[in-house]
Amino acid sequence: KKFMQNWSVYIASKFWLRWFAWSLKQEWKKVFFINPSIVETDFHNWKIALPKNVKYTQIEDIVNIVWNIIKWDEKRFEIDL
Protein backbone atom coordinates (compact mmCIF):
# COMPACT_ATOMS: atom_id res chain seq x y z
CA LYS A 1 0.00 0.00 0.00
CA LYS A 2 1.40 3.37 -1.01
CA PHE A 3 0.56 6.85 0.17
CA MET A 4 -0.96 8.71 -2.80
CA GLN A 5 -0.21 5.87 -5.21
CA ASN A 6 0.65 6.99 -8.77
CA TRP A 7 1.33 10.56 -7.65
CA SER A 8 5.13 10.52 -7.85
CA VAL A 9 5.27 12.81 -10.90
CA TYR A 10 2.81 15.26 -9.35
CA ILE A 11 4.71 15.43 -6.07
CA ALA A 12 8.13 15.59 -7.74
CA SER A 13 7.01 18.43 -10.00
CA LYS A 14 5.72 20.43 -7.01
CA PHE A 15 9.09 20.18 -5.29
CA TRP A 16 10.94 20.95 -8.52
CA LEU A 17 8.88 24.13 -8.98
CA ARG A 18 9.53 25.13 -5.39
CA TRP A 19 13.32 24.91 -5.77
CA PHE A 20 13.24 26.46 -9.24
CA ALA A 21 11.35 29.46 -7.81
CA TRP A 22 13.89 29.68 -4.98
CA SER A 23 16.73 29.69 -7.54
CA LEU A 24 15.04 32.47 -9.50
CA LYS A 25 14.60 34.46 -6.30
CA GLN A 26 18.36 34.35 -5.70
CA GLU A 27 18.85 36.12 -9.05
CA TRP A 28 15.78 38.35 -9.45
CA LYS A 29 14.61 38.97 -5.86
CA LYS A 30 11.01 39.67 -7.03
CA VAL A 31 9.82 36.05 -7.08
CA PHE A 32 6.97 34.66 -5.00
CA PHE A 33 5.90 31.06 -4.46
CA ILE A 34 2.29 30.38 -3.49
CA ASN A 35 1.90 26.98 -1.88
CA PRO A 36 -1.79 26.24 -1.32
CA SER A 37 -3.02 23.19 0.50
CA ILE A 38 -5.77 21.29 -1.28
CA VAL A 39 -7.71 23.81 -3.35
CA GLU A 40 -11.45 23.31 -3.33
CA THR A 41 -11.87 21.94 -6.85
CA ASP A 42 -12.77 18.56 -8.35
CA PHE A 43 -9.11 17.77 -9.14
CA HIS A 44 -8.60 15.42 -6.17
CA ASN A 45 -12.01 13.75 -6.28
CA TRP A 46 -11.09 11.17 -8.88
CA LYS A 47 -7.81 10.09 -7.25
CA ILE A 48 -8.17 9.90 -3.49
CA ALA A 49 -10.92 10.08 -0.94
CA LEU A 50 -10.24 12.96 1.41
CA PRO A 51 -11.49 13.05 4.97
CA LYS A 52 -14.41 15.36 5.64
CA ASN A 53 -12.41 17.50 8.10
CA VAL A 54 -9.75 18.58 5.55
CA LYS A 55 -9.23 22.34 5.39
CA TYR A 56 -9.37 23.44 1.79
CA THR A 57 -7.76 26.54 0.34
CA GLN A 58 -10.39 28.75 -1.23
CA ILE A 59 -9.83 30.28 -4.65
CA GLU A 60 -10.54 33.70 -3.11
CA ASP A 61 -7.58 33.25 -0.74
CA ILE A 62 -5.25 32.68 -3.69
CA VAL A 63 -6.69 35.67 -5.56
CA ASN A 64 -6.17 37.87 -2.48
CA ILE A 65 -2.53 36.81 -2.16
CA VAL A 66 -1.89 37.47 -5.86
CA TRP A 67 -3.53 40.88 -5.50
CA ASN A 68 -1.29 41.65 -2.50
CA ILE A 69 1.76 40.66 -4.54
CA ILE A 70 0.69 42.97 -7.37
CA LYS A 71 0.22 45.83 -4.89
CA TRP A 72 3.65 45.03 -3.31
CA ASP A 73 1.97 44.48 0.07
CA GLU A 74 3.25 40.89 0.25
CA LYS A 75 6.89 40.43 1.30
CA ARG A 76 7.15 36.67 1.89
CA PHE A 77 8.81 34.48 -0.75
CA GLU A 78 6.94 31.29 0.08
CA ILE A 79 3.30 31.77 0.99
CA ASP A 80 1.59 28.74 2.53
CA LEU A 81 -2.18 28.73 2.38
Side-chain angles (χ1 to χ4, degrees):
K1 187 172 185 176
K2 297 179 184 174
F3 176 71
M4 296 179 80
Q5 186 173 1
N6 301 321
W7 279 54
S8 58
V9 172
Y10 172 77
I11 293 168
S13 64
K14 275 185 81 169
F15 281 95
W16 179 85
L17 284 172
R18 179 186 206 174
W19 289 109
F20 181 63
W22 183 83
S23 298
L24 289 176
K25 181 167 180 52
Q26 301 310 305
E27 295 179 20
W28 292 346
K29 307 296 182 212
K30 303 289 184 190
V31 176
F32 299 89
F33 186 76
I34 301 171
N35 190 25
S37 61
I38 299 170
V39 179
E40 193 168 20
T41 65
D42 293 335
F43 176 76
H44 294 280
N45 291 349
W46 63 277
K47 273 291 191 185
I48 57 174
L50 298 172
K52 300 289 184 205
N53 60 352
V54 169
K55 182 185 178 298
Y56 292 96
T57 298
Q58 303 297 315
I59 297 291
E60 294 81 16
D61 296 335
I62 298 171
V63 170
N64 288 335
I65 289 294
V66 170
W67 181 241
N68 288 337
I69 290 170
I70 291 169
K71 294 187 311 182
W72 295 107
D73 290 342
E74 184 59 61
K75 305 297 183 216
R76 297 172 290 171
F77 160 65
E78 186 168 356
I79 303 152
D80 293 320
L81 297 177

